[in-house]
Amino acid sequence: MMYGGIEAGGTKMNCAVADQEGKIIASQRIATREPAETLAGIFRFFDRYELAAMGIGSFGPIGLDPKQANYGHVLATPKAGWKNFDFLGTLKQRYPIPMVWTTDVNAAAYGELKKGAAQDCDTCIYLTVGTGIGAGVIVNNQLFQGKSHPEMGHIRIKRHPEDSYVGTCPYHQDCFEGLAAGPSIEARTGQKGETLPKNHPVWELQSYYIAQALVNYTLSFVPDKIILGGGVMNQTHLLSKIREQFLLELGGYISIPSVEEYIVPWQLVNESGIKGCLQLAIDWQKESIN
């Protein structure tokens, strides 16, 4: 049997086919343009294979409640042509096979749980810090989602007393994403994060905000592990700052494993999402047989 996966991002679609062990047989990246053009490329890739199931982790927000008419749709996105587009339904018309539909960050969390940094866990959170901020949650080996999905990048956090930056979020300005996503670094400094030295003051702000969010997630979900990924986390020196600030913010209120074991970098660098999509398809098939 072969399985399909689509990590659907606002910039590109990562498509892959894997065997029943999750080994990737073929893959292709397709630029995310308007739906018709993008799907033509997706179809050209997958039409060559006979698939048993498919997992899709999509940029959002997306409709996740099967009882609602917008299930399977991409919702209020600024991406041209994709607002309210029935992505899942269009894929099912072409490939009438079982499909698992979730967010891109949930898929990444599942990939890290099954194949990456959280393999010894039942519950984990995956946080990506890049152009935007999003988080996926796995609870007892299951995707955490309800009528919609958690928007954990838009939680409110306390502002650093020395930070006067208004924030980049068009909805909330100074929410977590508004204060700590990649564009906030460039807006504050005039430079992209990868060009800044390790001792630049902006990294203290980043660790302050990210640590606050991780404390909120810890108190809400009590995960076994938190995995950090995304472009901003390519600054490896940032991890130790986040861990240190996290312990200060948590204040010893609840017990966690050692912070080095609890807050960890992604193991499936740049592959968490697609491997999670494939594994969701594989596991769905196994469960349906059993």
Side-chain angles (χ1 to χ4, degrees):
M1 290 185 179
M2 289 186 288
Y3 301 85
I6 303 174
E7 181 190 12
T11 303
K12 61 182 180 300
M13 302 274 171
N14 290 335
C15 301
V17 171
D19 63 18
Q20 57 190 2
E21 303 301 321
K23 181 181 178 181
I24 294 177
I25 298 166
S27 63
Q28 184 177 341
R29 292 184 177 183
I30 296 164
T32 304
R33 297 190 173 92
E34 293 204 9
E37 184 179 355
T38 306
L39 283 160
I42 291 172
F43 294 159
R44 280 193 297 271
F45 175 75
F46 284 113
D47 281 354
R48 296 174 288 171
Y49 305 98
E50 185 174 345
L51 303 176
M54 180 180 287
I56 304 103
S58 177
F59 70 97
I62 61 175
L64 282 175
D65 184 358
K67 297 178 183 178
Q68 299 297 319
N70 66 7
Y71 176 66
H73 290 59
V74 178
L75 303 179
T77 178
K79 190 70 180 173
W82 288 89
K83 185 177 180 180
N84 297 321
F85 178 71
D86 186 4
F87 192 15
L88 181 64
T90 305
L91 287 169
K92 283 193 168 185
Q93 285 181 0
R94 186 77 169 201
Y95 309 112
I97 57 175
M99 293 187 181
V100 182
W101 168 251
T102 191
T103 64
D104 49 358
V105 283
N106 260 356
Y110 199 77
E112 289 290 340
L113 182 84
K114 295 297 184 178
K115 298 288 187 179
Q119 290 181 75
D120 56 341
C121 303
D122 296 318
T123 299
C124 73
I125 292 173
Y126 169 84
L127 176 72
T128 182
V129 184
T131 304
I133 294 179
V137 183
I138 307 295
V139 177
N140 295 327
N141 290 294
Q142 300 295 317
L143 302 176
F144 181 83
Q145 57 192 38
K147 289 185 178 297
S148 186
H149 45 86
E151 288 285 2
M152 294 163 67
H154 292 272
I155 61 171
R156 308 316 296 254
I157 52 179
K158 61 184 178 182
R159 178 183 287 276
H160 192 284
E162 297 179 8
D163 185 14
S164 60
Y165 177 60
V166 67
T168 59
C169 178
Y171 296 96
H172 316 115
Q173 291 193 324
D174 61 350
C175 64
F176 179 31
E177 180 173 290
L179 291 174
S184 72
I185 297 174
E186 188 170 357
R188 283 189 178 96
T189 66
Q191 295 178 247
K192 292 188 180 296
E194 58 264 29
T195 69
L196 296 171
K198 295 179 182 180
N199 61 353
H200 195 285
V202 77
W203 300 123
E204 296 301 324
L205 291 178
Q206 286 296 109
S207 62
Y208 181 79
Y209 292 134
I210 294 171
Q212 277 190 67
L214 300 190
V215 168
N216 289 336
Y217 302 161
T218 295
L219 296 176
S220 299
F221 294 100
V222 199
D224 300 319
K225 192 166 288 188
I226 297 176
I227 303 108
L228 303 182
V232 172
M233 293 311 304
N234 288 332
Q235 309 296 320
T236 55
H237 62 89
L238 188 56
L239 183 59
S240 61
K241 292 183 175 69
I242 293 169
R243 287 168 171 164
E244 181 180 356
Q245 187 65 35
F246 173 85
L247 292 175
L248 288 174
E249 295 285 338
L250 189 63
Y253 183 64
I254 62 172
S255 177
I256 61 164
S258 72
V259 72
E260 291 79 15
E261 295 176 350
Y262 184 66
I263 301 173
V264 300
W266 54 349
Q267 192 176 106
L268 306 175
V269 178
N270 298 322
E271 292 189 321
S272 305
I274 190 60
K275 288 191 174 180
C277 291
L278 292 164
Q279 197 61 45
L280 283 167
I282 293 165
D283 290 350
W284 185 95
Q285 181 74 8
K286 288 178 180 177
E287 290 173 10
S288 66
I289 292 173
N290 295 333

